[in-house]
Amino acid sequence: MIMNEKIKASEVQLTGINGEELGIVPTSEALALARKLKVDLVCTSLMSSPPPCKLIGKGAAKQEEQQARKREREPKFKEIRLTAHIEEHDFDTKKQQAERILKSGDAVLAVVRLQGKEGPKAKELLQSLLQELKPYGRPKTGIQLSGKQAAVQIDPIL
């Protein structure tokens, strides 16, 4: 992202703070206007002539760039394993672990290993986990019972 004095073009296509079109302006004039309004002049693309530039509040440009980077990154999967006969304290620990993972922007794959006829109990356990994690993530898939495990993928809310 090219900002303020780093813009080398002689003139720019300027857009105001509220998105209003200000037309083609000499770069020095655009920089003076940005200083006067106490904002940053940010070049959005170098591929055209004159380059399009926007007036953006101080620091907002960097925040916007960080948000874009965060959205670009593919979420990693972190698996959390549970058992159908988990105790309350252990469940809370696993829930906090999943919460931390979702807050960091990664997806959680909650897996319950099954032994015998624990399918309904495992499904109930995963539903309560989903309910507890609702503020931090939403299920990408439904609860899937297959063979020796029940699983659900939870994606973070960004």
Side-chain angles (χ1 to χ4, degrees):
M1 184 176 291
I2 298 170
M3 293 171 54
N4 300 330
E5 283 76 23
K6 292 180 182 170
I7 299 171
K8 299 294 181 204
S10 59
E11 52 187 21
V12 294
Q13 177 72 39
L14 189 60
T15 305
I17 297 173
N18 300 323
E20 68 276 6
E21 202 57 49
L22 300 175
I24 297 172
V25 180
T27 306
S28 57
E29 203 176 297
L31 283 168
L33 181 63
R35 276 190 216 101
K36 187 177 121 189
L37 296 172
K38 294 187 173 134
V39 294
D40 286 325
L41 180 66
V42 179
C43 186
T44 55
S45 171
L46 294 174
M47 296 302 162
S48 59
S49 181
C53 292
K54 290 194 289 187
L55 293 173
I56 298 177
K58 287 271 186 202
K62 284 187 181 171
Q63 261 184 340
E64 201 174 281
E65 187 178 22
Q66 286 174 342
Q67 288 295 330
R69 255 197 219 126
K70 204 179 240 185
R71 278 184 250 120
E72 275 177 21
R73 185 175 73 89
E74 273 295 307
K76 293 178 187 165
F77 289 101
K78 306 272 178 127
E79 187 174 304
I80 291 185
R81 292 182 180 170
L82 308 151
T83 60
H85 299 292
I86 193 168
E87 291 188 20
E88 190 68 33
H89 178 268
D90 295 332
F91 177 78
D92 289 340
T93 304
K94 294 289 186 178
K95 180 190 73 163
Q96 288 171 356
Q97 193 177 9
E99 216 173 276
R100 207 170 26 252
I101 293 167
L102 289 168
K103 282 181 184 174
S104 74
D106 293 326
V108 172
L109 182 64
V111 177
V112 178
R113 300 281 178 204
L114 302 177
Q115 297 172 346
K117 298 183 178 182
E118 295 176 336
K121 191 167 184 173
K123 196 169 184 175
E124 190 179 299
L125 178 71
L126 287 174
Q127 283 174 336
S128 66
L129 182 67
L130 283 173
Q131 194 63 37
E132 296 272 338
L133 295 174
K134 211 173 217 166
Y136 309 104
R138 61 176 159 269
K140 182 176 184 179
T141 60
I143 296 172
Q144 299 167 335
L145 287 166
S146 60
K148 294 187 182 288
Q149 71 179 24
V152 66
Q153 181 184 333
I154 308 165
D155 283 346
I157 297 174
L158 297 176

